[in-house]
Amino acid sequence: MIEEQYDILIELQKIDIDIDEEKKKKRSLPLTIEGVTKKIQGLKDNLKKKNENYKNLQIKLKRKELDLAEQSNKINKHQEDLYGGKISDIKELKQIQKVIANYKEEKDSIEEVVLDLMEEMEDLNKSIGNLDEDLEGKEKKFKKCKEEIDSARLVIERNMNSLNIKRGEILNKIIDDRLLKEYELLRKEKGGKAIIKVDGSICPGCYLDLPSDVIYQLKKNRKIIICPNCSRILIWKD
């Protein structure tokens, strides 16, 4: 009778190990998609920042273009005064020429800034385009990854349902409540392996020597044998 119970317990442990493995797979699924999600969010944040920078550059460029237009108007106005024939005083004419020269210098400086802004905007626009393309690729990957994960989750859930049904059937075969209780407690403590088979003088669970009387009792299968070192349930392997 005890041998039959041990065999059932071994079968139960195999099912429990398989269930644990399925649970582990299920827990790892969100981590797989989380990595892709973080990359997508990072790209979106970067893209948002670059778009904001681009808008700021557009505002700066518009302001500089207005400044440039203002300088051109000033130059045109003073050139009309200079060449219109209304002013004949040499000193005043020279003063106007000097003012025009200053305005032209300021205009040249503004034009340089405008060119720099346009170049910066062009580079930024290319960068935004590359990010858009990268983001599109990542989002496609995310969609595919999610579909694969959803499919894998369904498979895992089906496997777990099947395993839980088998576990219930096995539990109904165990009549030794004390043995089952010991198994359940040890299973939590020993990482899923509560019962192990022994075929020599060393416990495969803790790799320590077993006393001779323990080995004798194992061979006889007269009672539940517990490893004196790691407390696992021991069964003699035929």
Side-chain angles (χ1 to χ4, degrees), residues 132-156:
D132 277 328
E133 187 177 344
D134 195 11
L135 180 60
E136 184 180 355
K138 288 290 190 301
E139 286 179 334
K140 286 180 180 179
K141 182 180 178 181
F142 172 80
K143 184 179 178 181
K144 183 180 178 182
C145 186
K146 190 176 183 303
E147 289 173 353
E148 290 174 351
I149 286 175
D150 290 341
S151 177
R153 184 178 284 109
L154 288 175
V155 172
I156 290 170

Side-chain angles (χ1 to χ4, degrees), residues 53-63 121:
N53 289 342
Y54 190 84
K55 288 179 181 178
N56 290 333
L57 287 174
Q58 284 181 315
I59 293 170
K60 287 181 180 179
L61 180 61
K62 190 173 182 179
R63 287 173 180 169
M121 287 174 67

Side-chain angles (χ1 to χ4, degrees), residues 32-201:
T32 305
I33 201 169
E34 184 180 337
V36 182
T37 305
K38 284 183 177 179
K39 287 181 180 178
I40 288 175
Q41 190 57 51
L43 286 172
K44 285 182 176 179
D45 292 342
N46 196 10
L47 188 59
K48 182 181 178 182
K49 184 177 180 181
K50 286 185 181 294
N51 278 319
E52 288 174 353
N53 289 342
Y54 190 84
K55 288 179 181 178
N56 290 333
L57 287 174
Q58 284 181 315
I59 293 170
K60 287 181 180 179
L61 180 61
K62 190 173 182 179
R63 287 173 180 169
K64 289 298 176 182
E65 285 175 340
L66 290 173
D67 290 343
L68 194 61
E70 185 180 353
Q71 291 300 114
S72 296
N73 289 334
K74 288 179 180 179
I75 291 171
N76 291 334
K77 183 180 180 300
H78 282 79
Q79 283 181 337
E80 287 176 3
D81 293 339
L82 181 64
Y83 302 114
K86 294 180 180 180
I87 301 173
S88 57
D89 185 76
I90 299 298
K91 287 185 179 180
E92 191 173 350
L93 289 173
K94 286 184 178 181
Q95 183 62 32
I96 292 174
Q97 287 176 335
K98 186 177 179 181
V99 170
I100 291 173
N102 289 335
Y103 282 146
K104 284 184 177 180
E105 187 176 341
E106 290 178 13
K107 182 183 176 185
D108 290 342
S109 178
I110 294 171
E111 285 177 341
E112 287 182 10
V113 173
V114 167
L115 289 174
D116 288 341
L117 285 171
M118 291 176 68
E119 185 177 351
E120 188 176 353
M121 287 174 67
E122 185 179 355
D123 292 340
L124 191 55
N125 192 44
K126 288 180 181 178
S127 179
I128 289 171
N130 292 333
L131 276 175
D132 277 328
E133 187 177 344
D134 195 11
L135 180 60
E136 184 180 355
K138 288 290 190 301
E139 286 179 334
K140 286 180 180 179
K141 182 180 178 181
F142 172 80
K143 184 179 178 181
K144 183 180 178 182
C145 186
K146 190 176 183 303
E147 289 173 353
E148 290 174 351
I149 286 175
D150 290 341
S151 177
R153 184 178 284 109
L154 288 175
V155 172
I156 290 170
E157 287 174 355
R158 283 198 295 266
N159 290 342
M160 287 182 67
N161 288 336
S162 176
L163 289 167
N164 281 320
I165 290 172
K166 290 180 181 178
R167 190 178 196 276
E169 293 171 352
I170 294 171
L171 284 175
N172 290 331
K173 297 178 183 178
I174 299 176
I175 57 176
D176 191 331
D177 292 337
R178 186 169 65 92
L179 184 61
L180 179 59
K181 185 178 180 181
E182 187 69 25
Y183 164 79
E184 296 287 6
L185 288 172
L186 283 170
R187 187 176 131 69
K188 293 178 181 178
E189 294 177 4
K190 305 299 178 182
K193 286 219 169 184
I195 181 167
I196 52 178
K197 291 185 176 182
V198 179
D199 61 358
S201 60

Side-chain angles (χ1 to χ4, degrees), residues 196-228:
I196 52 178
K197 291 185 176 182
V198 179
D199 61 358
S201 60
I202 296 176
C203 171
C206 60
Y207 303 103
L208 296 175
D209 289 330
L210 294 169
S212 56
D213 62 322
V214 170
I215 297 173
Y216 174 78
Q217 294 294 341
L218 278 170
K219 290 180 178 180
K220 293 296 181 179
N221 281 331
R222 290 179 180 174
K223 61 179 182 178
I224 298 173
I225 304 299
I226 303 296
C227 174

